[in-house]
Amino acid sequence: MKNVVKLAVMLSSLFMFTTVHAAEVDKNTGVKVSKALADSAKRSLLGEKGKFPIQAEAGYEVTNITANLNNVVFEYKMPSDSQNTPLNDFMENVRLGLYSQFCDKSDIVNVLKTYDIRFIFRFQFTDDRNIPTTLSIDEICELE
């Protein structure tokens, strides 16, 4: 789970540039923000010349990071079948890591809310099941 927190910390670096405050919410701007976030996350994980997949110490792989409309999509290949993986625990650790990095930064929260940017996590398991999970900034920053 240390790698999940490391990924969250890396994600925080990609939000540092998001001081975008537009008077008019434009769909194309949301797409551009999502693409910039995905590109920044890739650079944070891979450097300038690295390639996917990246093996995490916990055994899973990050296979890609892309943008799709107002979504930043993280794709994972999990080392077990979908029935034996505590995905809820994994996602709660991701959420808590993101919470500690972003939720006290109102400019980041405002940009993500304004453009309705969501984070999609796609998990591919050894039993050929693909399970997506989505987090919005409201879900990330919700109090327990």
Side-chain angles (χ1 to χ4, degrees), residues 51-84:
K51 294 188 180 198
F52 288 112
I54 293 178
Q55 184 76 34
E57 289 176 26
Y60 63 88
E61 293 179 348
V62 179
T63 59
N64 204 4
I65 301 172
T66 59
N68 177 350
L69 299 176
N70 289 21
N71 303 303
V72 179
V73 182
F74 295 86
E75 296 179 27
Y76 297 89
K77 186 172 183 179
M78 304 304 280
S80 61
D81 66 50
S82 59
Q83 300 301 315
N84 293 320

mmCIF file of all heavy atoms in Angstrom, residues 51-84:
data_model
loop_
_atom_site.group_PDB
_atom_site.id
_atom_site.type_symbol
_atom_site.label_atom_id
_atom_site.label_comp_id
_atom_site.label_asym_id
_atom_site.label_seq_id
_atom_site.Cartn_x
_atom_site.Cartn_y
_atom_site.Cartn_z
ATOM 1 N N LYS A 51 8.451 3.932 -19.925
ATOM 2 C CA LYS A 51 7.312 3.328 -20.618
ATOM 3 C C LYS A 51 6.519 2.470 -19.645
ATOM 4 O O LYS A 51 7.053 1.936 -18.688
ATOM 5 C CB LYS A 51 7.801 2.469 -21.787
ATOM 6 C CG LYS A 51 8.453 3.285 -22.872
ATOM 7 C CD LYS A 51 8.747 2.440 -24.076
ATOM 8 C CE LYS A 51 9.396 3.344 -25.110
ATOM 9 N NZ LYS A 51 9.362 2.828 -26.416
ATOM 10 N N PHE A 52 5.245 2.338 -19.951
ATOM 11 C CA PHE A 52 4.388 1.438 -19.197
ATOM 12 C C PHE A 52 4.587 0.028 -19.701
ATOM 13 O O PHE A 52 4.948 -0.155 -20.859
ATOM 14 C CB PHE A 52 2.925 1.838 -19.356
ATOM 15 C CG PHE A 52 2.567 3.098 -18.609
ATOM 16 C CD1 PHE A 52 2.242 4.252 -19.281
ATOM 17 C CD2 PHE A 52 2.561 3.114 -17.228
ATOM 18 C CE1 PHE A 52 1.908 5.408 -18.598
ATOM 19 C CE2 PHE A 52 2.230 4.258 -16.527
ATOM 20 C CZ PHE A 52 1.902 5.406 -17.220
ATOM 21 N N PRO A 53 4.330 -0.982 -18.905
ATOM 22 C CA PRO A 53 3.818 -0.978 -17.529
ATOM 23 C C PRO A 53 4.934 -0.755 -16.503
ATOM 24 O O PRO A 53 6.100 -0.988 -16.778
ATOM 25 C CB PRO A 53 3.237 -2.380 -17.368
ATOM 26 C CG PRO A 53 4.048 -3.226 -18.279
ATOM 27 C CD PRO A 53 4.432 -2.341 -19.442
ATOM 28 N N ILE A 54 4.497 -0.291 -15.337
ATOM 29 C CA ILE A 54 5.405 -0.105 -14.202
ATOM 30 C C ILE A 54 4.961 -1.066 -13.109
ATOM 31 O O ILE A 54 3.798 -1.074 -12.707
ATOM 32 C CB ILE A 54 5.341 1.336 -13.668
ATOM 33 C CG1 ILE A 54 5.900 2.295 -14.705
ATOM 34 C CG2 ILE A 54 6.099 1.459 -12.368
ATOM 35 C CD1 ILE A 54 5.834 3.736 -14.277
ATOM 36 N N GLN A 55 5.886 -1.850 -12.647
ATOM 37 C CA GLN A 55 5.609 -2.830 -11.588
ATOM 38 C C GLN A 55 5.727 -2.151 -10.224
ATOM 39 O O GLN A 55 6.728 -1.511 -9.931
ATOM 40 C CB GLN A 55 6.615 -3.987 -11.670
ATOM 41 C CG GLN A 55 6.377 -5.098 -10.684
ATOM 42 C CD GLN A 55 5.224 -5.995 -11.095
ATOM 43 O OE1 GLN A 55 4.991 -6.218 -12.263
ATOM 44 N NE2 GLN A 55 4.512 -6.497 -10.124
ATOM 45 N N ALA A 56 4.704 -2.286 -9.396
ATOM 46 C CA ALA A 56 4.728 -1.770 -8.030
ATOM 47 C C ALA A 56 5.202 -2.866 -7.082
ATOM 48 O O ALA A 56 5.056 -4.056 -7.376
ATOM 49 C CB ALA A 56 3.333 -1.303 -7.632
ATOM 50 N N GLU A 57 5.771 -2.464 -5.968
ATOM 51 C CA GLU A 57 6.262 -3.432 -4.986
ATOM 52 C C GLU A 57 5.169 -4.370 -4.502
ATOM 53 O O GLU A 57 5.424 -5.519 -4.175
ATOM 54 C CB GLU A 57 6.877 -2.708 -3.786
ATOM 55 C CG GLU A 57 8.191 -2.036 -4.090
ATOM 56 C CD GLU A 57 8.713 -1.266 -2.905
ATOM 57 O OE1 GLU A 57 8.369 -1.607 -1.746
ATOM 58 O OE2 GLU A 57 9.470 -0.316 -3.131
ATOM 59 N N ALA A 58 3.934 -3.886 -4.465
ATOM 60 C CA ALA A 58 2.817 -4.699 -3.983
ATOM 61 C C ALA A 58 2.384 -5.763 -4.995
ATOM 62 O O ALA A 58 1.496 -6.556 -4.700
ATOM 63 C CB ALA A 58 1.634 -3.800 -3.634
ATOM 64 N N GLY A 59 2.997 -5.761 -6.183
ATOM 65 C CA GLY A 59 2.703 -6.811 -7.153
ATOM 66 C C GLY A 59 1.824 -6.386 -8.314
ATOM 67 O O GLY A 59 1.782 -7.068 -9.328
ATOM 68 N N TYR A 60 1.117 -5.301 -8.204
ATOM 69 C CA TYR A 60 0.275 -4.856 -9.311
ATOM 70 C C TYR A 60 1.115 -4.010 -10.268
ATOM 71 O O TYR A 60 2.217 -3.583 -9.949
ATOM 72 C CB TYR A 60 -0.951 -4.080 -8.815
ATOM 73 C CG TYR A 60 -0.625 -2.803 -8.085
ATOM 74 C CD1 TYR A 60 -0.458 -1.607 -8.775
ATOM 75 C CD2 TYR A 60 -0.501 -2.777 -6.699
ATOM 76 C CE1 TYR A 60 -0.154 -0.435 -8.111
ATOM 77 C CE2 TYR A 60 -0.212 -1.614 -6.032
ATOM 78 C CZ TYR A 60 -0.035 -0.445 -6.743
ATOM 79 O OH TYR A 60 0.258 0.720 -6.092
ATOM 80 N N GLU A 61 0.580 -3.775 -11.467
ATOM 81 C CA GLU A 61 1.237 -2.949 -12.465
ATOM 82 C C GLU A 61 0.350 -1.772 -12.813
ATOM 83 O O GLU A 61 -0.864 -1.911 -12.904
ATOM 84 C CB GLU A 61 1.480 -3.725 -13.764
ATOM 85 C CG GLU A 61 2.457 -4.846 -13.670
ATOM 86 C CD GLU A 61 2.626 -5.575 -15.012
ATOM 87 O OE1 GLU A 61 1.827 -5.347 -15.949
ATOM 88 O OE2 GLU A 61 3.565 -6.367 -15.099
ATOM 89 N N VAL A 62 0.956 -0.620 -13.008
ATOM 90 C CA VAL A 62 0.262 0.507 -13.621
ATOM 91 C C VAL A 62 0.553 0.361 -15.103
ATOM 92 O O VAL A 62 1.709 0.382 -15.525
ATOM 93 C CB VAL A 62 0.778 1.865 -13.094
ATOM 94 C CG1 VAL A 62 0.034 3.008 -13.771
ATOM 95 C CG2 VAL A 62 0.650 1.954 -11.580
ATOM 96 N N THR A 63 -0.501 0.133 -15.899
ATOM 97 C CA THR A 63 -0.296 -0.161 -17.313
ATOM 98 C C THR A 63 -0.494 1.042 -18.220
ATOM 99 O O THR A 63 0.006 1.039 -19.343
ATOM 100 C CB THR A 63 -1.226 -1.301 -17.782
ATOM 101 O OG1 THR A 63 -2.583 -0.926 -17.557
ATOM 102 C CG2 THR A 63 -0.897 -2.594 -17.048
ATOM 103 N N ASN A 64 -1.194 2.073 -17.737
ATOM 104 C CA ASN A 64 -1.369 3.268 -18.561
ATOM 105 C C ASN A 64 -2.055 4.363 -17.749
ATOM 106 O O ASN A 64 -2.753 4.075 -16.772
ATOM 107 C CB ASN A 64 -2.191 2.968 -19.810
ATOM 108 C CG ASN A 64 -1.920 3.951 -20.929
ATOM 109 O OD1 ASN A 64 -1.075 4.833 -20.828
ATOM 110 N ND2 ASN A 64 -2.645 3.792 -22.017
ATOM 111 N N ILE A 65 -1.866 5.586 -18.181
ATOM 112 C CA ILE A 65 -2.592 6.745 -17.653
ATOM 113 C C ILE A 65 -2.992 7.564 -18.866
ATOM 114 O O ILE A 65 -2.146 7.934 -19.679
ATOM 115 C CB ILE A 65 -1.724 7.597 -16.711
ATOM 116 C CG1 ILE A 65 -1.229 6.769 -15.528
ATOM 117 C CG2 ILE A 65 -2.523 8.810 -16.217
ATOM 118 C CD1 ILE A 65 -0.211 7.483 -14.647
ATOM 119 N N THR A 66 -4.299 7.804 -18.996
ATOM 120 C CA THR A 66 -4.809 8.550 -20.137
ATOM 121 C C THR A 66 -5.858 9.550 -19.670
ATOM 122 O O THR A 66 -6.257 9.557 -18.503
ATOM 123 C CB THR A 66 -5.446 7.608 -21.174
ATOM 124 O OG1 THR A 66 -6.515 6.883 -20.543
ATOM 125 C CG2 THR A 66 -4.437 6.643 -21.754
ATOM 126 N N ALA A 67 -6.319 10.361 -20.617
ATOM 127 C CA ALA A 67 -7.436 11.265 -20.372
ATOM 128 C C ALA A 67 -8.541 10.929 -21.352
ATOM 129 O O ALA A 67 -8.284 10.564 -22.496
ATOM 130 C CB ALA A 67 -6.998 12.711 -20.542
ATOM 131 N N ASN A 68 -9.778 11.029 -20.867
ATOM 132 C CA ASN A 68 -10.944 10.752 -21.681
ATOM 133 C C ASN A 68 -12.009 11.750 -21.266
ATOM 134 O O ASN A 68 -12.571 11.633 -20.184
ATOM 135 C CB ASN A 68 -11.400 9.311 -21.448
ATOM 136 C CG ASN A 68 -12.649 8.955 -22.186
ATOM 137 O OD1 ASN A 68 -13.326 9.805 -22.758
ATOM 138 N ND2 ASN A 68 -12.989 7.684 -22.163
ATOM 139 N N LEU A 69 -12.232 12.742 -22.096
ATOM 140 C CA LEU A 69 -13.140 13.847 -21.769
ATOM 141 C C LEU A 69 -12.709 14.486 -20.450
ATOM 142 O O LEU A 69 -11.584 14.946 -20.350
ATOM 143 C CB LEU A 69 -14.593 13.385 -21.761
ATOM 144 C CG LEU A 69 -15.122 12.835 -23.086
ATOM 145 C CD1 LEU A 69 -16.534 12.313 -22.916
ATOM 146 C CD2 LEU A 69 -15.068 13.887 -24.178
ATOM 147 N N ASN A 70 -13.566 14.481 -19.448
ATOM 148 C CA ASN A 70 -13.235 15.096 -18.157
ATOM 149 C C ASN A 70 -12.733 14.063 -17.152
ATOM 150 O O ASN A 70 -12.877 14.251 -15.954
ATOM 151 C CB ASN A 70 -14.465 15.810 -17.586
ATOM 152 C CG ASN A 70 -14.798 17.054 -18.359
ATOM 153 O OD1 ASN A 70 -14.408 17.215 -19.502
ATOM 154 N ND2 ASN A 70 -15.518 17.956 -17.744
ATOM 155 N N ASN A 71 -12.144 13.004 -17.634
ATOM 156 C CA ASN A 71 -11.666 11.932 -16.760
ATOM 157 C C ASN A 71 -10.169 11.731 -16.928
ATOM 158 O O ASN A 71 -9.653 11.793 -18.038
ATOM 159 C CB ASN A 71 -12.364 10.612 -17.113
ATOM 160 C CG ASN A 71 -13.868 10.722 -17.024
ATOM 161 O OD1 ASN A 71 -14.405 11.078 -15.995
ATOM 162 N ND2 ASN A 71 -14.544 10.432 -18.118
ATOM 163 N N VAL A 72 -9.519 11.443 -15.812
ATOM 164 C CA VAL A 72 -8.143 10.976 -15.838
ATOM 165 C C VAL A 72 -8.234 9.490 -15.511
ATOM 166 O O VAL A 72 -8.799 9.117 -14.480
ATOM 167 C CB VAL A 72 -7.262 11.715 -14.810
ATOM 168 C CG1 VAL A 72 -5.831 11.193 -14.852
ATOM 169 C CG2 VAL A 72 -7.287 13.224 -15.064
ATOM 170 N N VAL A 73 -7.726 8.653 -16.419
ATOM 171 C CA VAL A 73 -7.917 7.210 -16.318
ATOM 172 C C VAL A 73 -6.591 6.535 -15.972
ATOM 173 O O VAL A 73 -5.605 6.691 -16.690
ATOM 174 C CB VAL A 73 -8.467 6.620 -17.640
ATOM 175 C CG1 VAL A 73 -8.715 5.131 -17.509
ATOM 176 C CG2 VAL A 73 -9.737 7.360 -18.067
ATOM 177 N N PHE A 74 -6.603 5.799 -14.863
ATOM 178 C CA PHE A 74 -5.456 5.013 -14.425
ATOM 179 C C PHE A 74 -5.797 3.546 -14.632
ATOM 180 O O PHE A 74 -6.827 3.078 -14.145
ATOM 181 C CB PHE A 74 -5.168 5.255 -12.935
ATOM 182 C CG PHE A 74 -4.742 6.658 -12.646
ATOM 183 C CD1 PHE A 74 -5.681 7.657 -12.419
ATOM 184 C CD2 PHE A 74 -3.396 6.986 -12.603
ATOM 185 C CE1 PHE A 74 -5.284 8.959 -12.154
ATOM 186 C CE2 PHE A 74 -2.992 8.281 -12.335
ATOM 187 C CZ PHE A 74 -3.940 9.270 -12.113
ATOM 188 N N GLU A 75 -4.943 2.829 -15.349
ATOM 189 C CA GLU A 75 -5.194 1.424 -15.632
ATOM 190 C C GLU A 75 -4.180 0.561 -14.890
ATOM 191 O O GLU A 75 -2.989 0.847 -14.896
ATOM 192 C CB GLU A 75 -5.125 1.169 -17.131
ATOM 193 C CG GLU A 75 -6.212 1.925 -17.878
ATOM 194 C CD GLU A 75 -6.163 1.726 -19.373
ATOM 195 O OE1 GLU A 75 -5.669 0.674 -19.835
ATOM 196 O OE2 GLU A 75 -6.624 2.628 -20.092
ATOM 197 N N TYR A 76 -4.706 -0.491 -14.246
ATOM 198 C CA TYR A 76 -3.899 -1.387 -13.430
ATOM 199 C C TYR A 76 -4.094 -2.823 -13.883
ATOM 200 O O TYR A 76 -5.191 -3.210 -14.289
ATOM 201 C CB TYR A 76 -4.322 -1.322 -11.951
ATOM 202 C CG TYR A 76 -4.121 0.012 -11.306
ATOM 203 C CD1 TYR A 76 -5.113 0.983 -11.336
ATOM 204 C CD2 TYR A 76 -2.942 0.294 -10.634
ATOM 205 C CE1 TYR A 76 -4.933 2.205 -10.716
ATOM 206 C CE2 TYR A 76 -2.756 1.512 -10.016
ATOM 207 C CZ TYR A 76 -3.749 2.468 -10.066
ATOM 208 O OH TYR A 76 -3.564 3.677 -9.454
ATOM 209 N N LYS A 77 -3.050 -3.599 -13.765
ATOM 210 C CA LYS A 77 -3.138 -5.045 -13.950
ATOM 211 C C LYS A 77 -2.852 -5.651 -12.582
ATOM 212 O O LYS A 77 -1.770 -5.475 -12.027
ATOM 213 C CB LYS A 77 -2.127 -5.533 -14.985
ATOM 214 C CG LYS A 77 -2.277 -6.990 -15.321
ATOM 215 C CD LYS A 77 -1.379 -7.362 -16.486
ATOM 216 C CE LYS A 77 -1.610 -8.815 -16.849
ATOM 217 N NZ LYS A 77 -0.760 -9.187 -17.989
ATOM 218 N N MET A 78 -3.843 -6.357 -12.065
ATOM 219 C CA MET A 78 -3.739 -6.911 -10.717
ATOM 220 C C MET A 78 -3.225 -8.347 -10.781
ATOM 221 O O MET A 78 -3.562 -9.086 -11.706
ATOM 222 C CB MET A 78 -5.103 -6.854 -10.032
ATOM 223 C CG MET A 78 -5.719 -5.453 -9.975
ATOM 224 S SD MET A 78 -4.666 -4.221 -9.198
ATOM 225 C CE MET A 78 -4.977 -4.589 -7.488
ATOM 226 N N PRO A 79 -2.421 -8.763 -9.795
ATOM 227 C CA PRO A 79 -1.792 -10.086 -9.834
ATOM 228 C C PRO A 79 -2.680 -11.223 -9.326
ATOM 229 O O PRO A 79 -2.194 -12.329 -9.108
ATOM 230 C CB PRO A 79 -0.588 -9.905 -8.916
ATOM 231 C CG PRO A 79 -1.061 -8.920 -7.905
ATOM 232 C CD PRO A 79 -1.946 -7.972 -8.677
ATOM 233 N N SER A 80 -3.952 -10.974 -9.120
ATOM 234 C CA SER A 80 -4.846 -12.005 -8.586
ATOM 235 C C SER A 80 -6.195 -11.910 -9.283
ATOM 236 O O SER A 80 -6.442 -11.014 -10.076
ATOM 237 C CB SER A 80 -5.015 -11.822 -7.073
ATOM 238 O OG SER A 80 -5.594 -10.560 -6.806
ATOM 239 N N ASP A 81 -7.071 -12.852 -8.953
ATOM 240 C CA ASP A 81 -8.404 -12.789 -9.544
ATOM 241 C C ASP A 81 -9.269 -11.790 -8.773
ATOM 242 O O ASP A 81 -8.940 -11.377 -7.676
ATOM 243 C CB ASP A 81 -9.053 -14.169 -9.634
ATOM 244 C CG ASP A 81 -9.350 -14.788 -8.290
ATOM 245 O OD1 ASP A 81 -9.953 -14.111 -7.434
ATOM 246 O OD2 ASP A 81 -9.004 -15.964 -8.096
ATOM 247 N N SER A 82 -10.355 -11.411 -9.387
ATOM 248 C CA SER A 82 -11.198 -10.362 -8.830
ATOM 249 C C SER A 82 -11.877 -10.774 -7.523
ATOM 250 O O SER A 82 -12.223 -9.913 -6.712
ATOM 251 C CB SER A 82 -12.257 -9.942 -9.843
ATOM 252 O OG SER A 82 -13.069 -11.054 -10.197
ATOM 253 N N GLN A 83 -12.044 -12.069 -7.303
ATOM 254 C CA GLN A 83 -12.709 -12.540 -6.086
ATOM 255 C C GLN A 83 -11.793 -12.503 -4.869
ATOM 256 O O GLN A 83 -12.258 -12.480 -3.745
ATOM 257 C CB GLN A 83 -13.225 -13.969 -6.293
ATOM 258 C CG GLN A 83 -14.213 -14.106 -7.427
ATOM 259 C CD GLN A 83 -15.438 -13.237 -7.240
ATOM 260 O OE1 GLN A 83 -16.003 -13.186 -6.159
ATOM 261 N NE2 GLN A 83 -15.853 -12.546 -8.294
ATOM 262 N N ASN A 84 -10.482 -12.492 -5.101
ATOM 263 C CA ASN A 84 -9.524 -12.550 -3.995
ATOM 264 C C ASN A 84 -8.789 -11.232 -3.750
ATOM 265 O O ASN A 84 -7.793 -11.211 -3.038
ATOM 266 C CB ASN A 84 -8.491 -13.658 -4.257
ATOM 267 C CG ASN A 84 -9.128 -15.021 -4.217
ATOM 268 O OD1 ASN A 84 -9.989 -15.291 -3.376
ATOM 269 N ND2 ASN A 84 -8.733 -15.886 -5.130
#
